[in-house]
Amino acid sequence: MYAACVMPGARQPLEIRELPAPDLERGAALLQTMYSEVCGTDVHLHHGRLDVPFPIIPGHVSVGRIAALRDTNGGVCGVDGERLREGDVVTFLDVHETCNACYHCLVAQQPTRCAKRRVYGITYSANDGLLGGWAEAIWMKPGVKMIRLPDDLAPETFIGGGCGLVTALHAVDLAHVRLGESVAVLGVGPVGQSIVALAALSGAGDVIAIGAPDDRLVFASRMGATSTLGLSLTSADRTASVRDVTRGRGADVVIEASGSPEAVSNALDIARDGGRVVICGHYTDNGSVDIHPHWQINRKHVEIRGCWGSQYHHFHRAVELAARFGDRVPWSEMVSGRYALNRAADALAAVESRQAIKALIVPGAS
Ligand SMILES: [Zn+2]
Ligand SMILES: [Zn+2]
């Protein structure tokens, strides 16, 4: 039996339950969980803002050691063909069962919109087994895409970036940051922090981080922001400040990662005419906002793109980026709290109250 932290329903207290070890099918594996992330999405799940099959075991981005593996004939391999073995330290794409047969998968090539898509820690019920990261062990069903962490990548570095790093990479991809362009980032949580880092690595010129509280803005400077703006300024003042930094034009690229509806309107205001705006902070329904189409969109000629979920290639490249740049970008230091399974409620509260930029569940901790 393995202990798991279960979220029984919206706003209900978390519980520790004992779940049986899965009967591993061919191609399946069991991970001994090393770290599982507490993401803003978990707070939203607890608030009942996503339709999920409670009870669930939260935790969609995790790192673990392969404790058991039931090989297929050719072995269970990563995308490079290298066989995975017991003892390997891996992470895995939380998205599973994308069908690669429907219109969204094959024609539109938008697999994040595939109706068959399931997500560890979100869309699987705890009644189905160890299919979330806040547990001593995680059941890797056949076909789950595991990635062995390179030897030079500390698990703490990857999980420090974690879900936010993967989402940030997707958003920065969509923004098509060109060398020397100015990038404004609204929101300095884990997603915003990694967007700052990846924009800087992409060769952006000015990288302006906008958000709160102040200690997160200080951290954003360490991630690569060249200037920061706090939320004590009015949105008009923030817009004026961005124009000051960008010679009166506004930012070439604006990426919203705050989850605030008002930030979407502010993003349109601080983009330059003909600039690009990516909205990735609204994974759940955070409400609506008034937009003035003439002034904020048409006349400005802005390009707006939405960013929801991630694909395998984002996950794969996030691991490679963490390995290559982990000594320059302080992802591992973004973790401000580590919690044993039975303290998951404290971890959730720390993320909800913004005391912690990033909290981790460490099932082996006491
Ligand atoms: Zn997440
Ligand atoms: Zn599909």
Side-chain angles (χ1 to χ4, degrees), residues 7-325:
M7 193 181 279
R11 300 202 182 264
Q12 290 180 28
L14 303 177
E15 298 170 2
I16 300 295
R17 293 189 193 171
E18 296 282 329
L19 272 77
D23 199 5
L24 295 183
E25 323 89 307
R26 281 189 174 274
L30 192 69
L31 300 189
Q32 177 201 340
T33 313
M34 297 168 69
Y35 302 106
S36 187
E37 188 169 350
V38 182
C39 172
T41 298
D42 299 312
V43 175
H44 297 154
L45 288 170
H46 199 227
H47 290 173
R49 287 211 250 146
L50 277 172
D51 187 19
V52 296
F54 288 120
I56 62 167
I57 303 170
H60 45 280
V61 175
S62 310
V63 173
R65 189 180 299 280
I66 299 178
L69 182 89
R70 180 134 187 250
D71 262 332
T72 55
N73 285 341
V76 177
C77 299
V79 290
D80 50 9
E82 191 183 344
R83 275 181 95 137
L84 294 164
R85 300 182 191 282
E86 289 177 5
D88 283 350
V89 174
V90 300
T91 185
F92 62 94
L93 179 66
D94 51 344
V95 178
H96 182 48
E97 297 183 19
T98 304
C99 77
N100 200 33
C102 72
Y103 180 88
H104 293 296
C105 283
L106 288 182
V107 182
Q109 301 199 329
Q110 300 288 332
T112 66
R113 307 305 309 137
C114 174
K116 296 239 168 80
R117 173 184 190 274
R118 307 292 299 276
V119 187
Y120 275 73
I122 299 179
T123 73
Y124 283 114
S125 166
N127 298 328
D128 296 328
L130 292 159
L131 298 168
W134 297 7
E136 290 175 327
I138 316 171
W139 176 15
M140 299 285 96
K141 293 189 161 199
V144 169
K145 293 179 180 63
M146 289 183 275
I147 304 172
R148 197 175 72 81
L149 297 192
D151 293 337
D152 56 353
L153 173 57
E156 294 77 13
T157 299
F158 173 72
I159 200 75
C163 180
L165 168 58
V166 179
T167 304
L169 178 54
H170 190 181
V172 171
D173 274 2
L174 288 172
H176 293 299
V177 177
R178 293 189 298 188
L179 293 169
E181 283 191 323
S182 55
V183 178
V185 183
L186 281 76
V188 284
V191 178
Q193 298 285 354
S194 278
I195 290 171
V196 165
L198 296 183
L201 288 174
S202 301
D206 291 306
V207 179
I208 307 156
I210 303 171
D214 285 348
D215 59 337
R216 293 192 181 192
L217 293 176
V218 171
F219 195 81
S221 299
R222 295 185 58 207
M223 295 295 275
T226 55
S227 60
T228 61
L229 296 170
L231 298 185
S232 55
L233 299 170
T234 65
S235 79
D237 286 344
R238 289 198 296 273
T239 303
S241 296
V242 170
R243 288 187 185 279
D244 281 348
V245 172
T246 56
R247 297 184 176 79
R249 291 190 293 262
D252 297 308
V253 170
V254 184
I255 306 179
E256 183 280 326
S258 73
S260 152
E262 291 73 28
V264 174
S265 177
N266 198 211
L268 293 166
D269 289 336
I270 64 181
R272 70 159 162 81
D273 287 5
R276 301 184 293 290
V277 176
V278 176
I279 307 297
C280 76
H282 293 254
Y283 185 80
T284 54
D285 180 353
N286 292 340
S288 61
V289 66
D290 277 342
I291 300 287
H292 198 303
H294 171 71
W295 289 110
Q296 292 182 290
I297 301 176
N298 268 58
R299 196 182 156 98
K300 288 192 76 155
H301 216 251
V302 289
E303 183 181 337
I304 304 171
R305 309 192 83 175
C307 174
W308 197 87
S310 301
Q311 299 180 43
Y312 176 79
H313 72 87
H314 299 117
F315 218 88
H316 189 99
R317 291 160 56 219
V319 169
E320 295 195 331
L321 285 166
R324 183 169 297 265
F325 296 110

